[in-house]
Amino acid sequence: MADPIRWARYRWQRLISTEGREGSSPSNSSNKCHQSSKAIGKHRIVIPCLGHFKEEYEKVSKLYMNNKIQTTKYTLLNFLPRNLFEQFHRVANLYFLFLVVLNWVPLVEAFQKEITMLPLVAVLTIIAVKDGLEDYSKYKMDKKINNLLTKVYSRKEKKYIDECWKNVNVGDFIRLSRNEIIPADMVLLYSSDLNGICYIETASLDGETNLKQRQVVRGYSEQVSEIDPEKFSSRIECESPNNDLGHFRGFVEHSNKDRVGLIKENLLLRGCTVRNTEAVVGIVVYAGHETKAMLNNTGPHYKRSKLERKVNTDILWCVLLLILMCLTGAIGHGIWLSRYSEVPFFTIPEPGRKLIPPALAAFNVFWTMIILLQVLIPISLYVSIEIVKLGQIYLIQNDIDFYHETTDSTIQCRALNIAEDLGQIQYIFSDKTGTLTENKMVFRRCSIAGQEYCHEENAKRLESYQEVDSEDEDSADHQCGSSMHMSKWQGHDCRAVNEPLNRKSLSLLSGSHSALGREDGGRDAPCSGHVAFSSPIETDVVPDTQLLKKFSQISSHSYDQSEASSKLSLETMYITDFFLALAICNTVVVSVPSQPHQKMRLSSLGRMPIKSLEEIRQMFQRLSVRRLSSSPLPSVKESSSESPSSFVSKLSVFRMKMASPALDEAAQRAAELHNMDSPENSQVPQELDMVNVAVGCEHNSATSSIELSPLPKLCYEAESPDEAALVHAARAYRCILQSRTPDQVTVDFPGLGSLKFQLLHILPFDSVRKRMSVVVRHPVSNKVVVYTKGADSVMMDLLRTASEDTNNSEMEQKIKERTQKHLDDYARRGLRTLCIAKKAMSDAEYAEWLNHHFSAETSIDNREELLLESAIRLETELTLLGATGIEDRLQEGVSDTIQALRKAGIKIWMLTGDKRETAVNIAYACKLLEPDDIIFTLESQNKDACASMMSKILEGIQKNASKKQPGQKLGNVSASLSTQSPGFSAGLVIDGWTLEHVLHDSLQNVFLELTEKCRAVVCCRATPLQKSVLVRLVRSKLKAMTLAVGDGANDVSMIQVADTGVGISGQEGMQAVMASDFAVCQFRHLKKLLLVHGHWCYTRLTNMVLYFFYKNVAYVNLLFWYQFFCGFSGTSMTDYWILILFNLLFTSVPPIIYGVLDKDVSAEVLLQLPQLYMMSQKSLAYLPSTFWITLLDAFYQSIVCFFVPYFTYYGSDIDIFSFGNLINTAALFIILFHLLIECKSVTWIHTVVVVGSILFYFVFTLAFGATCKTHNPSSNPYWIMEQHMTDPVFYLVCLLTTCVALLPRYLLRVLQGTLFPSQVLRAKHLDRLTPKEQREAIKRWRDDCVVNCRVELHATSGSFSSVTGAVSEEESVASVLPTSKTPL
């Protein structure tokens, strides 16, 4: 085919014209498109706001929002009604509102109307002020954002003018400069970059600091000058607004009905920042609240804690108790009135009104009692809980142990209302990569053409490697000579190849390659601190000496002769393609530290003046390269950044020595132009000298001055650490990725020089295909080549089958078998594995695939499915090149953390997408699996085999369980948590295929029953969806408290489904952190977060809640007992102000301090004895029995508090308010001293608060009685407290009442601490010992636990062997065998 480019272009136009004919006619196409999109609701038509589109724009623009945003809920007019409406959605507030309204009814009025309103008004005001302040801060932020300025094209003034963001509309043209924030979602139509690239920073959306490439819409990138909006005659059809940040579907339809597909790389998202690009122009497609950023801004997520749900249940019990007490009062009042045969003297009817019958009076008293005893429902409890949680969060965030010095970050508490759930976790679901491991990918081993290269020198470097800070790296860079010429390290490397690698030569080789990396493709120290995956442990790779020797044989001649039968040349081809795939098959962005993210050009510019070279560069780029890049099949492009002599030399060599098609006419004319401009280089060399990269020597004297010039420093920014590791590994062998543009990748390869691959397509990685591919045109062979890397589980099935060439077929089969053996070995070592493959295509084959692919690209509906089919169609008949093994090291303290969490009774599941062998070995390395564990591996191809395997395993385990614990129910989570860990030493490993079967409804219960009997579960090859389904299954079926922890975007769904989500702020962006409830820096921080702060938060909050119930019930019962002596009339013996303020002010602060600062066991002991976590995990502090015992104690104390003063003054003439004041004061002492008894650690803060509350009460009552003679019509507390304080009986009664009331609780606590202490009390005693005694006591405690575990394990060891033998018969269907126990 003479001109494949023109042919493909013709085929493409035919395809577009066919689609155009199938559509509507030109006259009414826009209207029909608009109507169809409006009817379907899936598409959006974007028309520019210009004169020739004016009428159509006015019709369409009415349907779309402008760019003004409003995140506030309130305005000045609706704040009060809307805030009250929202607050009264709470049942407690509605209840107290009902009481306020009820108190306004004269027949049932108990208090003065204003007094009844006081608690409710106080709570509503506090919350309203808080909501108002939060909303006002949002208003100020919205106003600031809406008034930001941007350049918008004005139709009237025919130029770009400054306009506020809020005035931007869909269809407007926006012009942005460097470091400006993008105001709306816009399609990129122009970039000042020569290659049509725009770099954006998406940290505000996903937290990733790596810059992303965006490119101009295909067809517009060839423009020499900036796009003129007046000449824009196209329309855009895209999908309706949605929150999917990873996809964008649509097309641009030109006036001639040609369509160009739109992808996410063409879309600039609102909130992102333009970086390293001088100017960009785009047209707005989504504005305001329809932008993807705003649609993803769902606000804070709310989760209800388990304790909160339990508190709501107990409040209902209090409501029932209140109704019972009120019914008692109503019935008693009716009986009391019916005892009078005549009209009682105190019942004086008003003039003109009849007497109320006893039954109606009893009914009225019922509602009066509701008002009187309203404090039984603790309205202040809700406010106190919120304050206590804020205090607990403050203490967590200020814990210095959570600070991570490397990242200069600490824990983030993003959910303020579930801190207590940290103390009740039963299951932890953890990702592996980046969560248990460091996510620092280190290249360790590789296999090429069936030959393994162990990289032992690199392994020795890693063993002795220690991370240094940035200052040390700076000095190391200078010592290594990052700006050294190649001639300075030439001699050292020559010796390094031929001599054995001793310690000195190894370090020298490492240093030289480190220096080379910093010269060619690495980072200098200032750059490394701002880019992920760029630490020295990742970037500095020491090459394998054997592979280096083979690299020395690579040249253009050897590559050209690779088709020959020579085994050596064939191996050379495999090595070349393998490292080319490592350097090309990725999305790594290349930049220079001094001029980041600009197009890279070699520093060897020859002797031509800079000015003339710049002119030639611009002319060549705009006239030749741009014209050719517009074609679907672009031709070979040679960058003019090289000298003319180099350019012509390479073209001549390719013409004379390579068996490749001739260059197209335009490229040849460009070559001739350069040849004429450089007459001194007109003579073409007859052959290229071979460059020995292994020794770094340059033998070509004609170009020595060019080659020895310093190369620019390169920065690699990768989206994943795997990509960065592979690129740095290729760089270590001098296969250097020099630059990347949307249509070209430049690689500097030893022996072949600078290779410029035309980048035709990138097929990104997805969880379905589990691979990534790039389609390029090879500059040497001029063929279309597909490079693919992916998981071996899918790649091995895509390799080509036996062909006619028997020798090649046998060789490829041997390579496949050897590579698979190497992959299995890598997995057993805990390495992450990838397969590398290629495929060469003819132009006809590529053009045929291209037609289908362009159809998928330009479709809006089902676009992902069509693109997936297109990728699968391309990725077949691959040739296996080799495989890589990358190490991801465990984080610091992971093993200790997992062991501690397991001792705490927490089951840990590891959910990963890696291979089974890799996952199992990492599980052994982090102590998730122990060497003595019996490991059951579930692998089945169908549901029936999976069901039978699980049944046989369960049968053996159940037999053992029946012997050990007869009658125990397998579905009981709490039982299994307490007995499984010491009794059963088994682990379960299951892969993603089998997960599909076990997640079926019919197998879920059996699977969960099996997992309950295994203390660890490892799920490998699991997809993100399967992770979330597993978490939801355990949470819903077992009613267990779950925690999910991860660091990447693939863990977001799992984190959101769990009761508590924890994000690791690692190197894969901040998606997991932004979706989590808590964010930590390292997995080891979970140990203290759960075992210490989780335990503290739960015990503190539960004790405070129980204390609130006790306090309110005890105080309300004082009023209830008085009703027996006042005819159940609803009268209070205490002034109403004192009654209301007793709970609102006098006794409100001490329980809050108690809930924030109480500490039953020190952090040191909790960390050393993880078993103590089970106390909070099993909710022992807040059992139903504990709640009712607390209420009974409150009843007892209220009886003592009422009747001791009653019998003391029995028969005396004490007045009602003097009697009530005595009871009130005694109740204050009882309630506060009760709190001191319950406090596990009394600090000076507790003392100050308790003493302060007592003093405040006395000061208030003294001032109250001295200043106000009459507050209510029937009350007169004047001078009562003053008189009591001069009466010795008052002090004696208060002392006696307090002692008698608190004596049972005090004796109970004493007996608990001496005769039958709990685990927590025993641990608390350890804090009082000396450090030496404490260590000995803890050691004895641990030894006792170990002895108990060994006894139980010995009793169960026999049955496990029978289980293993029972299931081994069906090994061919589903293997249930102990897995290799070799640690990492």
Side-chain angles (χ1 to χ4, degrees), residues 74 663 895 923 1033 1287:
Y74 310 112
L663 297 174
S895 302
L1033 181 65
D1287 185 6

Side-chain angles (χ1 to χ4, degrees), residues 285-341:
V285 291
Y286 306 123
H289 288 278
E290 291 181 339
T291 58
K292 292 181 179 290
M294 294 302 297
L295 291 174
N296 275 277
N297 185 15
T298 57
H301 54 286
Y302 182 81
K303 292 182 179 180
R304 292 178 59 193
S305 66
K306 183 179 179 181
L307 180 62
E308 184 179 348
R309 296 191 294 268
K310 201 167 187 178
V311 168
N312 291 338
T313 302
D314 289 340
I315 285 181
L316 292 179
W317 285 112
C318 289
V319 171
L320 292 177
L321 181 61
L322 174 65
I323 294 175
L324 181 62
M325 295 170 67
C326 294
L327 282 175
T328 303
I331 295 172
H333 185 69
I335 295 174
W336 184 68
L337 285 179
S338 62
R339 293 173 59 187
Y340 291 91
S341 56

Side-chain angles (χ1 to χ4, degrees), residues 612-656:
S612 61
L613 180 64
E614 182 70 11
E615 293 173 353
I616 294 176
R617 181 186 64 80
Q618 293 179 359
M619 179 180 63
F620 184 68
Q621 287 286 344
R622 293 174 181 173
L623 297 181
S624 178
V625 179
R626 290 289 176 85
R627 300 282 185 241
L628 300 177
S629 63
S630 61
S631 169
L633 289 170
S635 61
V636 179
K637 287 198 267 186
E638 297 292 344
S639 173
S640 63
S641 58
E642 305 175 29
S643 64
S645 61
S646 176
F647 182 79
V648 176
S649 299
K650 290 182 179 177
L651 287 182
S652 303
V653 170
F654 288 160
R655 266 201 312 272
M656 299 175 63

Side-chain angles (χ1 to χ4, degrees), residues 206 208 431-435 439 1024 1027 1045-1055 1062-1076:
D206 53 20
E208 295 186 7
D431 180 37
K432 181 184 75 68
T433 305
T435 304
N439 205 17
K1027 291 181 180 181
V1045 54
D1047 72 316
N1050 58 335
D1051 305 316
V1052 168
S1053 57
M1054 172 179 71
I1055 288 173
V1062 177
I1064 304 289
S1065 54
Q1067 301 191 69
E1068 291 192 11
M1070 301 290 287
Q1071 297 97 320
V1073 169
M1074 292 187 291
S1076 65

